[in-house]
């Protein structure tokens, strides 16, 4: 697509302005652009002048503009089709046609070391020429889609059919003016229920779309203007130099520029699980969407967005928001069971009403017998049968608690939104509710319990602490600087000689680089120029060390190997050490013990101990060992030890204590040594001062790994801290805990944590330090890497479960009361006191408005005062059975009294009596909604002022009920009530409050209520069998 650039004549100078510190390729490209731009501008102006003269047009008052097609000149030697083909086809021939990777970089105006010019104009130019790094998503589902889905419900279709019949016969019998009320009322009520349901699902879908955009917005390290910086993946452009490390997602298609030991997992593209090695000689091609499995590198971006295979594939995929959580599955079973009972009752009501009608036991409004054999018109018979069927179907509508799945959806959607504000992004819905049942949290140390703000506070050379770097010998100082500058994945940037340094990389790398530059006066750029890196062994969480072999440009006969990593591991590889004066000394058993004590002393002060070691070999010896692609790991010389301080997060101790008080065990799993781990765990409150290795509270990963399966199962509950652990040890612990019946939540940030995150019931990845691989394997992303947010997620998980239980109690109370009242009335008097429209209104306020009111209750401290909910605990507890049965029985007693004695008690006619029953029933639900807020606590009004939505919905329900009774008489089939009658309705309903208070004084057994029924059934069968 051509790139049209409109440039005003008065804007030419700033556009052609070129920085002096630009790289050679960038200078060339900008000089070419300037020359082409100027010649095109002059040519266009002359042409324009000639045309104006020939046409004799008046000169416009506004300044003239020049339309330039810049794209062919700016990137005249290459286009996106060719770039796409080079990588997609893995074509070395096409790559060589452009002069290899350097030629492609030159054609794209990219400096291999300094990257592209990061100015807004240049980035916009590249986006116009090659596209942006975004892909077209399938269109989001519209509101109409959810309306159609709601219409597919069988019960709704039956009701609409009945409404249509009722409408038709009503108009035929009473005319259009009066006959539409019954059928039209049902139509309006059904459409209202459908609308509310569709809007709720539509809003939830929109929320998922927003969360999807946030989760896809990955941060990427790029080099622009010689400066390493983080940008959004959507801002990556063709020509960018991207820095990759273990666990990163490759953000676009591109070519390998520089790096070491790079291996990529291409299973997302090819389906092959084997890692692919990437290098400049045999396979420099990198594909968007793949994951870095090992090593680190820099890549040149050649294709972005829809020009990549990944972009094409992702544009056809939409995120499925129909994921069914375990709780939703359980509720669907409950809904099905209740629905079957409702169908049975509705069928009985249908049979009874039909029998009573056709046997002549029913009367019309005037007291005449409705069915009189052959004298009754066919239209009247059909109309009456339709009315009876509608009543039976409406009972089914009320009986089936369709609000239960909706309540779960609303609760999860609301909690997801609030958890996002509390620094937790939910990737899988099921994690919200599962977190409420968590019994154990296995957490990392670095960045989760600590601030991840590392600083070198101790430095030892030999067996002496060093406070002043001027005391270090020159040769030894050079070795330290080499080991820091060349054995790192971090970088140092300084814009000008007077400006501050900027350090990039992992927190540990940044701490060491900062110390070496600021304390030891290390010049990183000079060291990189003076040495050639021959081989790199990248750091990972299993080896806990990294190594590099280098050759000096001044001495080609000697190869230096530098190692850096966990202090005790590096020490074990050393046979000698340098003292402060630079002399080499052998390490005997006594010396080794002294070094171990130094390491333990720093670790006991909560310092992370890092050691540096060195070995010098000849070029010939290096060539012999080069075939094995392994650096020497023995007979090294210890250079020095550094202690890095990473302070605990403020408030982490309180968060840990909150979890422990809530019955959740917190275990710390870290790669640090046992002394550092114990010190941090004690500081955070995970470990009490009297707990140590003697009672097996602290264990090393290797020891845990070497236990027999029986020993592991026996000791896993006692373990509070696991030090020097590998990702496999973490996975092993998760498996053991799950086998013992625990619900396990695990935090992780590294690529190697992926198996443990997948295995856990709830995987929690870190948003800042977490790799993309870890995030993809997790259920929830902790955006601020803070353990306090983990505790907040636990609280929200319990809140979700609690809110759903509240709604179940509220809903089942209505179901039981409505079913019994209609059934008894139908059997006894042959009619139902609550009409189809009235029952649909009750269905609406309890299913949708009730779900919305109770689903939005916020977490309270009380939630963290109870033990976790087990995997096998019933959804409806004995406490809930107690509450709902008492309230339902009260409502049944009151409403049946009104049904049979209401006319005489209030001195009213049948129409007013039915209105009193309807009004009292609705207000009983409104008052009972308050009772449902607290399942166990007697004070149901505590914290109600914080839930504005609950109060608002309650107010709206009351207002709409007044409108239904007083103003929509024909629609709702009601009569107006006087103040005394309104007071009676409210008074009867209000008794549910003191009744709820009294009921909560009754203690109940912890044994599930339904288990008694099963026990009785079992014993009855045994009794029958013995008798037979």
């Amino acid at each position: 697509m051509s790139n049209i650039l409109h440039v005003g004549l008065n804007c030419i100078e700033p556009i052609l302005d070129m920085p002096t510190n630009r790289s050679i390729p960038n200078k060339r490209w900008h000089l070419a652009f300037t020359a082409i731009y100027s010649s095109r501008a002059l040519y266009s102006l002359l042409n324009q002048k000639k045309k104006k003269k020939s046409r004799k047009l008046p000169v416009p008052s506004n300044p003239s503009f020049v339309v330039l097609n810049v794209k062919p000149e700016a990137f005249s030697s290459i286009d996106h089709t060719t770039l796409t083909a080079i990588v997609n086809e893995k074509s070395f021939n096409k790559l060589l046609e452009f002069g290899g990777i350097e030629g492609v970089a030159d054609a794209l105006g990219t400096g291999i070391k300094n990257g592209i010019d990061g100015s807004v104009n240049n980035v916009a130019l590249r986006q116009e020429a090659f596209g942006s790094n975004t892909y077209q998503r399938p269109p989001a589902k519209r509101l109409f889609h959810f309306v159609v889905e709601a219409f597919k419900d069988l019960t709704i279709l039956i009701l609409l059919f009945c409404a249509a019949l009722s409408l038709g016969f009503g108009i035929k019998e009473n005319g259009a003016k009066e006959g539409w009320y019954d059928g039209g009322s049902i139509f309006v009520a059904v459409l209202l229920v459908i609308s509310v349901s569709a809007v709720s699902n539509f809003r939830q879908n929109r929320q998922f779309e927003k969360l999807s955009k946030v989760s896809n917005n990955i941060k990427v390290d790029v080099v622009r203007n010689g400066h390493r910086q983080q940008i959004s993946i959507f801002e990556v452009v063709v020509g960018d130099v991207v820095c990759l490390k273990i666990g990163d997602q490759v953000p676009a298609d591109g070519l390998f520029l520089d790096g070491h030991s790079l291996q990529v997992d291409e299973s997302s593209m090819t389906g092959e699980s084997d890692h692919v090695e990437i290098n400049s000689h045999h396979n420099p091609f990198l594909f968007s969407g793949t994951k870095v499995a090992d090593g680190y590198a820099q890549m040149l971006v050649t294709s972005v967005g829809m020009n990549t295979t990944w972009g094409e594939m992702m544009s056809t995929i939409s995120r499925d928001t129909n994921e069914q959580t375990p709780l939703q599955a359980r509720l669907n079973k409950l809904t099905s069971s209740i629905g079957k009972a409702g169908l049975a009752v509705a069928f009985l009501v249908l049979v009874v009403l039909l029998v009573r009608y056709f046997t002549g036991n029913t009367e019309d409004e005037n007291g005449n017998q409705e069915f009189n054999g052959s004298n009754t018109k066919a239209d009247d018979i059909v109309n009456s049968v339709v009315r009876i069927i509608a009543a039976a179907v409406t009972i089914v509508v009320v009986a089936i608690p369709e609000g239960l799945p909706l309540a779960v959806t609303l609760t999860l959607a609301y909690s997801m939104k609030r958890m996002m504000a509390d620094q937790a992004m939910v990737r899988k819905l099921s994690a919200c509710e599962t977190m409420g049942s968590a019994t154990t949290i296995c957490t990392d140390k670095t960045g989760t319990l600590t601030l991840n703000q590392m600083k070198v506070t101790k430095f030892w050379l030999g067996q002496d602490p060093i406070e002043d770097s001027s005391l270090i010998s020159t040769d030894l100082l050079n070795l330290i600087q080499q080991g820091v500058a060349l054995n790192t994945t971090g970088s140092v940037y300084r814009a000008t000689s007077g400006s501050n340094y900027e350090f990039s990389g992992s927190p540990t790398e940044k701490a060491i680089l900062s110390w070496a530059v600021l304390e030891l006066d290390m010049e990183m750029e000079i060291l990189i120029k003076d040495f050639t890196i021959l081989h790199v062994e990248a750091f990972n969480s299993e080896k806990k060390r990294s190594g590099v072999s280098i050759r000096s440009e001044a001495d080609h006969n000697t190869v230096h190997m530098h190692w850096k990593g966990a202090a005790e591991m590096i020490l074990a590889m050393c046979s000698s050490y340098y003292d402060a004066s630079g002399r080499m000394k052998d390490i005997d058993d006594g010396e080794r013990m002294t070094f171990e004590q130094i390491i333990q002393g720093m670790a006991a002060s909560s310092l992370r101990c890092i050691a540096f070691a060195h070995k010098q070999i000849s070029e010939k010896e290096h060539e012999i060992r080069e075939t094995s692609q392994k650096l020497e790991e023995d007979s090294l010389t210890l250079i020095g030890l550094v202690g890095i301080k990473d302070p605990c997060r403020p408030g982490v101790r309180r968060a840990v204590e909150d979890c422990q008080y809530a019955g959740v065990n917190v275990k710390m799993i870290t790669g640090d040594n046992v002394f550092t781990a114990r010190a941090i765990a004690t500081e955070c409150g995970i470990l009490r001062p009297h707990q140590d290795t003697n009672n097996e509270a602290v264990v090393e990963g290797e020891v845990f790994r070497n236990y027999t399966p029986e020993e592991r199962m026996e000791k896993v509950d006692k373990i509070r801290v696991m030090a020097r652990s590998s990702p496999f040890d973490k996975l092993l612990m998760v498996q053991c805990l799950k086998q013992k019946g625990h619900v396990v939540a695990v935090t992780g940030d590294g690529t190697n944590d992926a198996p443990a995150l997948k295995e856990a019931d709830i995987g929690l990845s870190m948003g800042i330090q977490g790799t993309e691989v870890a995030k993809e394997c997790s259920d929830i992303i902790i955006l601020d890497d803070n353990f306090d947010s983990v505790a907040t997620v636990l609280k929200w998980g319990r809140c979700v479960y609690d809110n759903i239980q509240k709604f179940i109690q509220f809903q089942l109370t209505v179901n039981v009361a409505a079913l019994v009242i209609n059934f008894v009335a139908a059997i006894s008097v042959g009619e139902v006191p609550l009409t189809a429209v009235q029952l649909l209104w009750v269905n609406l306020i309890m299913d949708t408005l009730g779900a919305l009111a109770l689903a939005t209750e916020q977490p309270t401290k009380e939630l963290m005062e109870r033990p976790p909910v087990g995997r096998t605990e019933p959804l409806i507890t004995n406490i809930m059975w107690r509450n709902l049965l008492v309230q339902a029985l009260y409502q049944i007693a009151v409403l049946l009294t009104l049904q049979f004695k209401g006319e005489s008690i209030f001195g009213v006619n049948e129409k007013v009596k039915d209105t009193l029953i309807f009004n009292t029933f609705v207000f009983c639900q409104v008052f009972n909604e308050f009772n449902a807020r607290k399942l166990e606590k007697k004070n149901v009004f505590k914290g109600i002022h914080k839930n504005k939505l609950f109060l608002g919905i309650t107010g709206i329900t009351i207002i709409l009920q007044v409108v239904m009774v007083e103003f929509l008489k024909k629609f709702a089939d009601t009569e107006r009530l006087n103040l005394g009658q309104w007071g009676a309705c409210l008074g009867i309903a209000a008794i549910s409050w003191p009744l709820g208070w009294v009921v909560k004084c009754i203690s109940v057994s912890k044994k599930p209520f339904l288990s008694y029924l099963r026990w009785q059934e079992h014993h009855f069968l045994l009794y029958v069998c013995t008798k037979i």
Side-chain angles (χ1 to χ4, degrees), residues 757-789:
L757 289 168
K758 278 186 174 179
E759 180 69 24
D761 296 288
I762 313 104
L764 305 162
S765 65
M766 300 296 111
I768 300 171
Q769 288 302 315
T771 63
E772 290 309 312
V773 174
K775 289 176 186 175
E776 283 201 4
C777 292
S778 66
D779 304 305
I780 298 173
I781 299 174
I782 305 300
L783 299 175
D784 60 355
D785 291 15
N786 192 344
F787 186 81
D788 195 38
S789 298

Side-chain angles (χ1 to χ4, degrees), residues 15-16 18 22-41 68-77 106-109 125:
I15 289 175
L16 299 181
M18 183 173 66
R22 216 176 281 284
S23 65
I24 291 171
N26 268 341
K27 280 183 179 178
R28 269 198 244 113
W29 183 78
H30 271 269
L31 285 170
F33 174 71
T34 305
I36 293 164
Y37 183 95
S38 302
S39 60
R40 285 293 299 261
L68 297 181
N69 188 342
V70 176
K71 193 258 169 186
E73 287 79 11
F75 305 104
S76 57
S77 60
D106 193 43
L108 293 172
L125 180 68

Side-chain angles (χ1 to χ4, degrees), residues 50-66:
K50 284 178 183 177
K51 285 178 183 177
K52 281 180 183 178
K53 280 183 179 178
S54 63
R55 292 183 185 179
K56 296 181 181 179
L57 292 173
V59 179
S61 57
N62 58 318
S64 57
F65 289 84
V66 184

Side-chain angles (χ1 to χ4, degrees), residues 801-826:
Y801 199 87
D802 196 56
N803 286 349
I804 290 166
Q805 284 190 315
K806 291 173 186 176
F807 182 71
I808 289 171
Q809 178 184 297
F810 171 68
Q811 171 114 47
L812 292 186
T813 305
V814 185
N815 286 117
V816 172
L819 277 176
V820 172
I821 292 160
N822 276 330
F823 178 70
V824 172

Side-chain angles (χ1 to χ4, degrees), residues 112-163:
I112 290 176
K113 296 295 182 188
N114 294 329
I116 64 168
D117 169 21
S119 65
V120 175
N121 289 339
N122 185 41
V123 171
L125 180 68
R126 291 172 185 275
Q127 287 178 335
E128 287 291 330
F130 301 107
S132 62
N133 198 26
T134 56
Y135 48 83
Q136 298 168 354
R137 287 186 169 276
K141 292 175 183 175
R142 298 176 179 241
L143 179 61
F144 180 72
H145 168 84
F146 296 100
V147 173
V148 172
E149 287 296 312
F151 268 108
K152 290 179 182 178
D153 186 273
L154 181 62
T155 313
I156 293 293
L157 291 174
I158 294 171
L159 271 173
L160 288 172
F161 177 71
C162 292

Side-chain angles (χ1 to χ4, degrees), residues 476-492:
L476 188 53
L477 185 61
N478 290 337
L479 279 179
I480 296 168
Q481 291 176 345
Q482 290 169 25
V484 173
L486 304 171
N487 185 14
T488 183
T489 54
S491 63
V492 179

